[in-house]
PDB file of all heavy atoms in Angstrom:
ATOM      1  N   GLU T   5      26.584 -42.628  28.345  1.00 91.00           N
ATOM      2  CA  GLU T   5      25.768 -43.480  27.478  1.00 91.00           C
ATOM      3  C   GLU T   5      25.512 -42.815  26.131  1.00 91.00           C
ATOM      4  O   GLU T   5      25.614 -43.447  25.090  1.00 91.00           O
ATOM      5  CB  GLU T   5      24.445 -43.799  28.203  1.00 91.00           C
ATOM      6  CG  GLU T   5      23.679 -44.942  27.594  1.00 91.00           C
ATOM      7  CD  GLU T   5      22.684 -44.490  26.544  1.00 91.00           C
ATOM      8  OE1 GLU T   5      22.257 -43.322  26.587  1.00 91.00           O
ATOM      9  OE2 GLU T   5      22.346 -45.299  25.672  1.00 91.00           O
ATOM     10  N   ARG T   6      25.220 -41.549  26.126  1.00 91.00           N
ATOM     11  CA  ARG T   6      24.950 -40.852  24.859  1.00 91.00           C
ATOM     12  C   ARG T   6      26.210 -40.550  24.069  1.00 91.00           C
ATOM     13  O   ARG T   6      26.160 -40.426  22.851  1.00 91.00           O
ATOM     14  CB  ARG T   6      24.181 -39.561  25.136  1.00 91.00           C
ATOM     15  CG  ARG T   6      22.790 -39.824  25.617  1.00 91.00           C
ATOM     16  CD  ARG T   6      22.001 -38.561  25.744  1.00 91.00           C
ATOM     17  NE  ARG T   6      20.689 -38.859  26.285  1.00 91.00           N
ATOM     18  CZ  ARG T   6      19.776 -37.965  26.508  1.00 91.00           C
ATOM     19  NH1 ARG T   6      20.020 -36.694  26.243  1.00 91.00           N
ATOM     20  NH2 ARG T   6      18.622 -38.314  27.001  1.00 91.00           N
ATOM     21  N   GLY T   7      27.322 -40.408  24.756  1.00 92.00           N
ATOM     22  CA  GLY T   7      28.566 -40.068  24.079  1.00 92.00           C
ATOM     23  C   GLY T   7      29.253 -41.242  23.402  1.00 92.00           C
ATOM     24  O   GLY T   7      30.121 -41.057  22.547  1.00 92.00           O
ATOM     25  N   SER T   8      28.886 -42.445  23.767  1.00 93.00           N
ATOM     26  CA  SER T   8      29.509 -43.625  23.153  1.00 93.00           C
ATOM     27  C   SER T   8      28.754 -43.959  21.865  1.00 93.00           C
ATOM     28  O   SER T   8      27.547 -44.143  21.872  1.00 93.00           O
ATOM     29  CB  SER T   8      29.493 -44.813  24.124  1.00 93.00           C
ATOM     30  OG  SER T   8      28.171 -45.155  24.458  1.00 93.00           O
ATOM     31  N   THR T   9      29.498 -43.996  20.759  1.00 93.00           N
ATOM     32  CA  THR T   9      28.880 -44.285  19.460  1.00 93.00           C
ATOM     33  C   THR T   9      29.402 -45.610  18.920  1.00 93.00           C
ATOM     34  O   THR T   9      30.518 -46.035  19.251  1.00 93.00           O
ATOM     35  CB  THR T   9      29.187 -43.183  18.431  1.00 93.00           C
ATOM     36  OG1 THR T   9      30.606 -43.189  18.163  1.00 93.00           O
ATOM     37  CG2 THR T   9      28.758 -41.806  18.946  1.00 93.00           C
ATOM     38  N   LEU T  10      28.594 -46.243  18.101  1.00 94.00           N
ATOM     39  CA  LEU T  10      29.018 -47.512  17.503  1.00 94.00           C
ATOM     40  C   LEU T  10      30.288 -47.331  16.683  1.00 94.00           C
ATOM     41  O   LEU T  10      31.179 -48.183  16.715  1.00 94.00           O
ATOM     42  CB  LEU T  10      27.892 -48.105  16.655  1.00 94.00           C
ATOM     43  CG  LEU T  10      26.632 -48.530  17.411  1.00 94.00           C
ATOM     44  CD1 LEU T  10      25.582 -49.060  16.432  1.00 94.00           C
ATOM     45  CD2 LEU T  10      26.946 -49.572  18.466  1.00 94.00           C
ATOM     46  N   ASP T  11      30.381 -46.225  15.938  1.00 95.00           N
ATOM     47  CA  ASP T  11      31.581 -45.975  15.121  1.00 95.00           C
ATOM     48  C   ASP T  11      32.828 -45.879  15.993  1.00 95.00           C
ATOM     49  O   ASP T  11      33.850 -46.508  15.704  1.00 95.00           O
ATOM     50  CB  ASP T  11      31.422 -44.687  14.306  1.00 95.00           C
ATOM     51  CG  ASP T  11      30.411 -44.817  13.182  1.00 95.00           C
ATOM     52  OD1 ASP T  11      30.302 -45.910  12.598  1.00 95.00           O
ATOM     53  OD2 ASP T  11      29.726 -43.812  12.897  1.00 95.00           O
ATOM     54  N   ALA T  12      32.754 -45.101  17.069  1.00 95.00           N
ATOM     55  CA  ALA T  12      33.910 -44.928  17.950  1.00 95.00           C
ATOM     56  C   ALA T  12      34.260 -46.226  18.663  1.00 95.00           C
ATOM     57  O   ALA T  12      35.447 -46.539  18.853  1.00 95.00           O
ATOM     58  CB  ALA T  12      33.634 -43.811  18.960  1.00 95.00           C
ATOM     59  N   ILE T  13      33.256 -46.988  19.047  1.00 96.00           N
ATOM     60  CA  ILE T  13      33.500 -48.272  19.711  1.00 96.00           C
ATOM     61  C   ILE T  13      34.214 -49.219  18.754  1.00 96.00           C
ATOM     62  O   ILE T  13      35.179 -49.889  19.136  1.00 96.00           O
ATOM     63  CB  ILE T  13      32.174 -48.877  20.224  1.00 96.00           C
ATOM     64  CG1 ILE T  13      31.606 -48.008  21.343  1.00 96.00           C
ATOM     65  CG2 ILE T  13      32.373 -50.317  20.706  1.00 96.00           C
ATOM     66  CD1 ILE T  13      30.142 -48.280  21.663  1.00 96.00           C
ATOM     67  N   ALA T  14      33.761 -49.259  17.516  1.00 97.00           N
ATOM     68  CA  ALA T  14      34.396 -50.127  16.513  1.00 97.00           C
ATOM     69  C   ALA T  14      35.856 -49.747  16.311  1.00 97.00           C
ATOM     70  O   ALA T  14      36.738 -50.622  16.289  1.00 97.00           O
ATOM     71  CB  ALA T  14      33.627 -50.057  15.190  1.00 97.00           C
ATOM     72  N   VAL T  15      36.127 -48.453  16.173  1.00 96.00           N
ATOM     73  CA  VAL T  15      37.512 -47.990  15.979  1.00 96.00           C
ATOM     74  C   VAL T  15      38.376 -48.391  17.166  1.00 96.00           C
ATOM     75  O   VAL T  15      39.465 -48.949  17.013  1.00 96.00           O
ATOM     76  CB  VAL T  15      37.554 -46.453  15.756  1.00 96.00           C
ATOM     77  CG1 VAL T  15      38.977 -45.919  15.857  1.00 96.00           C
ATOM     78  CG2 VAL T  15      36.950 -46.102  14.406  1.00 96.00           C
ATOM     79  N   GLU T  16      37.888 -48.116  18.379  1.00 96.00           N
ATOM     80  CA  GLU T  16      38.667 -48.439  19.580  1.00 96.00           C
ATOM     81  C   GLU T  16      38.890 -49.939  19.724  1.00 96.00           C
ATOM     82  O   GLU T  16      39.938 -50.380  20.188  1.00 96.00           O
ATOM     83  CB  GLU T  16      37.986 -47.895  20.835  1.00 96.00           C
ATOM     84  CG  GLU T  16      38.831 -48.084  22.065  1.00 96.00           C
ATOM     85  CD  GLU T  16      38.256 -47.434  23.312  1.00 96.00           C
ATOM     86  OE1 GLU T  16      37.508 -46.454  23.210  1.00 96.00           O
ATOM     87  OE2 GLU T  16      38.601 -47.913  24.396  1.00 96.00           O
ATOM     88  N   ALA T  17      37.911 -50.736  19.314  1.00 97.00           N
ATOM     89  CA  ALA T  17      38.025 -52.193  19.418  1.00 97.00           C
ATOM     90  C   ALA T  17      38.868 -52.790  18.288  1.00 97.00           C
ATOM     91  O   ALA T  17      39.233 -53.965  18.348  1.00 97.00           O
ATOM     92  CB  ALA T  17      36.634 -52.826  19.410  1.00 97.00           C
ATOM     93  N   GLY T  18      39.179 -51.983  17.277  1.00 96.00           N
ATOM     94  CA  GLY T  18      39.977 -52.478  16.157  1.00 96.00           C
ATOM     95  C   GLY T  18      39.196 -53.392  15.224  1.00 96.00           C
ATOM     96  O   GLY T  18      39.760 -54.313  14.634  1.00 96.00           O
ATOM     97  N   VAL T  19      37.903 -53.122  15.089  1.00 97.00           N
ATOM     98  CA  VAL T  19      37.057 -53.902  14.182  1.00 97.00           C
ATOM     99  C   VAL T  19      36.318 -52.933  13.268  1.00 97.00           C
ATOM    100  O   VAL T  19      36.190 -51.744  13.565  1.00 97.00           O
ATOM    101  CB  VAL T  19      36.032 -54.790  14.943  1.00 97.00           C
ATOM    102  CG1 VAL T  19      36.738 -55.788  15.846  1.00 97.00           C
ATOM    103  CG2 VAL T  19      35.041 -53.953  15.729  1.00 97.00           C
ATOM    104  N   SER T  20      35.829 -53.449  12.165  1.00 96.00           N
ATOM    105  CA  SER T  20      35.004 -52.617  11.296  1.00 96.00           C
ATOM    106  C   SER T  20      33.634 -52.438  11.944  1.00 96.00           C
ATOM    107  O   SER T  20      33.249 -53.190  12.844  1.00 96.00           O
ATOM    108  CB  SER T  20      34.837 -53.286   9.929  1.00 96.00           C
ATOM    109  OG  SER T  20      34.075 -54.485  10.078  1.00 96.00           O
ATOM    110  N   LYS T  21      32.887 -51.457  11.460  1.00 95.00           N
ATOM    111  CA  LYS T  21      31.540 -51.284  12.004  1.00 95.00           C
ATOM    112  C   LYS T  21      30.703 -52.523  11.688  1.00 95.00           C
ATOM    113  O   LYS T  21      29.904 -52.971  12.507  1.00 95.00           O
ATOM    114  CB  LYS T  21      30.874 -50.033  11.455  1.00 95.00           C
ATOM    115  CG  LYS T  21      29.544 -49.757  12.137  1.00 95.00           C
ATOM    116  CD  LYS T  21      28.996 -48.400  11.803  1.00 95.00           C
ATOM    117  CE  LYS T  21      27.684 -48.155  12.532  1.00 95.00           C
ATOM    118  NZ  LYS T  21      27.114 -46.863  12.158  1.00 95.00           N
ATOM    119  N   GLY T  22      30.931 -53.110  10.513  1.00 95.00           N
ATOM    120  CA  GLY T  22      30.236 -54.350  10.164  1.00 95.00           C
ATOM    121  C   GLY T  22      30.594 -55.478  11.121  1.00 95.00           C
ATOM    122  O   GLY T  22      29.744 -56.289  11.487  1.00 95.00           O
ATOM    123  N   GLY T  23      31.854 -55.516  11.551  1.00 95.00           N
ATOM    124  CA  GLY T  23      32.278 -56.522  12.522  1.00 95.00           C
ATOM    125  C   GLY T  23      31.589 -56.329  13.859  1.00 95.00           C
ATOM    126  O   GLY T  23      31.191 -57.297  14.509  1.00 95.00           O
ATOM    127  N   LEU T  24      31.441 -55.069  14.268  1.00 95.00           N
ATOM    128  CA  LEU T  24      30.723 -54.789  15.501  1.00 95.00           C
ATOM    129  C   LEU T  24      29.269 -55.228  15.360  1.00 95.00           C
ATOM    130  O   LEU T  24      28.717 -55.887  16.243  1.00 95.00           O
ATOM    131  CB  LEU T  24      30.789 -53.292  15.828  1.00 95.00           C
ATOM    132  CG  LEU T  24      30.144 -52.862  17.152  1.00 95.00           C
ATOM    133  CD1 LEU T  24      30.863 -51.637  17.693  1.00 95.00           C
ATOM    134  CD2 LEU T  24      28.683 -52.563  17.008  1.00 95.00           C
ATOM    135  N   LEU T  25      28.638 -54.871  14.229  1.00 96.00           N
ATOM    136  CA  LEU T  25      27.230 -55.197  14.021  1.00 96.00           C
ATOM    137  C   LEU T  25      26.996 -56.700  13.875  1.00 96.00           C
ATOM    138  O   LEU T  25      25.889 -57.179  14.123  1.00 96.00           O
ATOM    139  CB  LEU T  25      26.684 -54.444  12.806  1.00 96.00           C
ATOM    140  CG  LEU T  25      26.620 -52.924  12.985  1.00 96.00           C
ATOM    141  CD1 LEU T  25      26.245 -52.244  11.672  1.00 96.00           C
ATOM    142  CD2 LEU T  25      25.652 -52.548  14.089  1.00 96.00           C
ATOM    143  N   TYR T  26      28.025 -57.440  13.504  1.00 96.00           N
ATOM    144  CA  TYR T  26      27.906 -58.898  13.449  1.00 96.00           C
ATOM    145  C   TYR T  26      27.648 -59.454  14.855  1.00 96.00           C
ATOM    146  O   TYR T  26      26.850 -60.359  15.037  1.00 96.00           O
ATOM    147  CB  TYR T  26      29.194 -59.500  12.866  1.00 96.00           C
ATOM    148  CG  TYR T  26      29.248 -61.005  12.947  1.00 96.00           C
ATOM    149  CD1 TYR T  26      28.555 -61.787  12.035  1.00 96.00           C
ATOM    150  CD2 TYR T  26      29.972 -61.632  13.960  1.00 96.00           C
ATOM    151  CE1 TYR T  26      28.589 -63.180  12.114  1.00 96.00           C
ATOM    152  CE2 TYR T  26      30.011 -63.014  14.051  1.00 96.00           C
ATOM    153  CZ  TYR T  26      29.320 -63.786  13.124  1.00 96.00           C
ATOM    154  OH  TYR T  26      29.345 -65.159  13.217  1.00 96.00           O
ATOM    155  N   HIS T  27      28.339 -58.878  15.830  1.00 96.00           N
ATOM    156  CA  HIS T  27      28.208 -59.343  17.218  1.00 96.00           C
ATOM    157  C   HIS T  27      27.039 -58.684  17.942  1.00 96.00           C
ATOM    158  O   HIS T  27      26.393 -59.316  18.782  1.00 96.00           O
ATOM    159  CB  HIS T  27      29.497 -59.080  17.990  1.00 96.00           C
ATOM    160  CG  HIS T  27      30.652 -59.892  17.503  1.00 96.00           C
ATOM    161  ND1 HIS T  27      30.781 -61.231  17.794  1.00 96.00           N
ATOM    162  CD2 HIS T  27      31.713 -59.564  16.730  1.00 96.00           C
ATOM    163  CE1 HIS T  27      31.891 -61.701  17.225  1.00 96.00           C
ATOM    164  NE2 HIS T  27      32.464 -60.706  16.575  1.00 96.00           N
ATOM    165  N   PHE T  28      26.794 -57.409  17.652  1.00 96.00           N
ATOM    166  CA  PHE T  28      25.758 -56.636  18.341  1.00 96.00           C
ATOM    167  C   PHE T  28      25.019 -55.817  17.295  1.00 96.00           C
ATOM    168  O   PHE T  28      25.552 -54.833  16.789  1.00 96.00           O
ATOM    169  CB  PHE T  28      26.379 -55.724  19.406  1.00 96.00           C
ATOM    170  CG  PHE T  28      27.204 -56.470  20.418  1.00 96.00           C
ATOM    171  CD1 PHE T  28      28.593 -56.512  20.325  1.00 96.00           C
ATOM    172  CD2 PHE T  28      26.593 -57.143  21.463  1.00 96.00           C
ATOM    173  CE1 PHE T  28      29.355 -57.195  21.248  1.00 96.00           C
ATOM    174  CE2 PHE T  28      27.347 -57.838  22.401  1.00 96.00           C
ATOM    175  CZ  PHE T  28      28.735 -57.871  22.286  1.00 96.00           C
ATOM    176  N   LYS T  29      23.803 -56.202  16.996  1.00 95.00           N
ATOM    177  CA  LYS T  29      23.021 -55.561  15.918  1.00 95.00           C
ATOM    178  C   LYS T  29      22.669 -54.108  16.229  1.00 95.00           C
ATOM    179  O   LYS T  29      22.543 -53.290  15.316  1.00 95.00           O
ATOM    180  CB  LYS T  29      21.731 -56.337  15.651  1.00 95.00           C
ATOM    181  CG  LYS T  29      21.938 -57.788  15.306  1.00 95.00           C
ATOM    182  CD  LYS T  29      22.394 -57.957  13.881  1.00 95.00           C
ATOM    183  CE  LYS T  29      22.493 -59.428  13.526  1.00 95.00           C
ATOM    184  NZ  LYS T  29      23.798 -59.783  13.040  1.00 95.00           N
ATOM    185  N   THR T  30      22.485 -53.799  17.507  1.00 94.00           N
ATOM    186  CA  THR T  30      22.093 -52.448  17.903  1.00 94.00           C
ATOM    187  C   THR T  30      22.864 -52.049  19.166  1.00 94.00           C
ATOM    188  O   THR T  30      23.479 -52.889  19.821  1.00 94.00           O
ATOM    189  CB  THR T  30      20.587 -52.379  18.236  1.00 94.00           C
ATOM    190  OG1 THR T  30      20.336 -53.204  19.386  1.00 94.00           O
ATOM    191  CG2 THR T  30      19.721 -52.842  17.065  1.00 94.00           C
ATOM    192  N   LYS T  31      22.774 -50.774  19.492  1.00 94.00           N
ATOM    193  CA  LYS T  31      23.384 -50.303  20.723  1.00 94.00           C
ATOM    194  C   LYS T  31      22.696 -50.944  21.931  1.00 94.00           C
ATOM    195  O   LYS T  31      23.334 -51.215  22.949  1.00 94.00           O
ATOM    196  CB  LYS T  31      23.301 -48.775  20.785  1.00 94.00           C
ATOM    197  CG  LYS T  31      24.332 -48.151  21.682  1.00 94.00           C
ATOM    198  CD  LYS T  31      24.354 -46.647  21.501  1.00 94.00           C
ATOM    199  CE  LYS T  31      25.323 -46.004  22.452  1.00 94.00           C
ATOM    200  NZ  LYS T  31      25.278 -44.541  22.371  1.00 94.00           N
ATOM    201  N   ASP T  32      21.407 -51.221  21.803  1.00 96.00           N
ATOM    202  CA  ASP T  32      20.679 -51.905  22.866  1.00 96.00           C
ATOM    203  C   ASP T  32      21.228 -53.320  23.077  1.00 96.00           C
ATOM    204  O   ASP T  32      21.382 -53.766  24.207  1.00 96.00           O
ATOM    205  CB  ASP T  32      19.188 -51.947  22.534  1.00 96.00           C
ATOM    206  CG  ASP T  32      18.352 -52.462  23.683  1.00 96.00           C
ATOM    207  OD1 ASP T  32      18.386 -51.847  24.764  1.00 96.00           O
ATOM    208  OD2 ASP T  32      17.676 -53.494  23.495  1.00 96.00           O
ATOM    209  N   ASP T  33      21.542 -54.017  21.979  1.00 97.00           N
ATOM    210  CA  ASP T  33      22.145 -55.348  22.088  1.00 97.00           C
ATOM    211  C   ASP T  33      23.511 -55.275  22.759  1.00 97.00           C
ATOM    212  O   ASP T  33      23.887 -56.157  23.541  1.00 97.00           O
ATOM    213  CB  ASP T  33      22.302 -56.000  20.704  1.00 97.00           C
ATOM    214  CG  ASP T  33      20.989 -56.396  20.067  1.00 97.00           C
ATOM    215  OD1 ASP T  33      19.967 -56.477  20.781  1.00 97.00           O
ATOM    216  OD2 ASP T  33      20.986 -56.627  18.831  1.00 97.00           O
ATOM    217  N   LEU T  34      24.248 -54.224  22.448  1.00 97.00           N
ATOM    218  CA  LEU T  34      25.562 -54.019  23.054  1.00 97.00           C
ATOM    219  C   LEU T  34      25.414 -53.816  24.562  1.00 97.00           C
ATOM    220  O   LEU T  34      26.151 -54.422  25.354  1.00 97.00           O
ATOM    221  CB  LEU T  34      26.235 -52.808  22.407  1.00 97.00           C
ATOM    222  CG  LEU T  34      27.690 -52.534  22.697  1.00 97.00           C
ATOM    223  CD1 LEU T  34      28.573 -53.734  22.381  1.00 97.00           C
ATOM    224  CD2 LEU T  34      28.155 -51.320  21.902  1.00 97.00           C
ATOM    225  N   ALA T  35      24.447 -53.012  24.970  1.00 97.00           N
ATOM    226  CA  ALA T  35      24.202 -52.798  26.392  1.00 97.00           C
ATOM    227  C   ALA T  35      23.793 -54.101  27.072  1.00 97.00           C
ATOM    228  O   ALA T  35      24.274 -54.421  28.167  1.00 97.00           O
ATOM    229  CB  ALA T  35      23.128 -51.723  26.589  1.00 97.00           C
TER     230      ALA T  35
END
């Protein structure tokens, strides 16, 4: 849980960090 970062998730998903934040505003929203 602590090792997963929004930046790394965005890169792996092939989206920008802004694209990730469009769908999930926070890591809590992602969870």
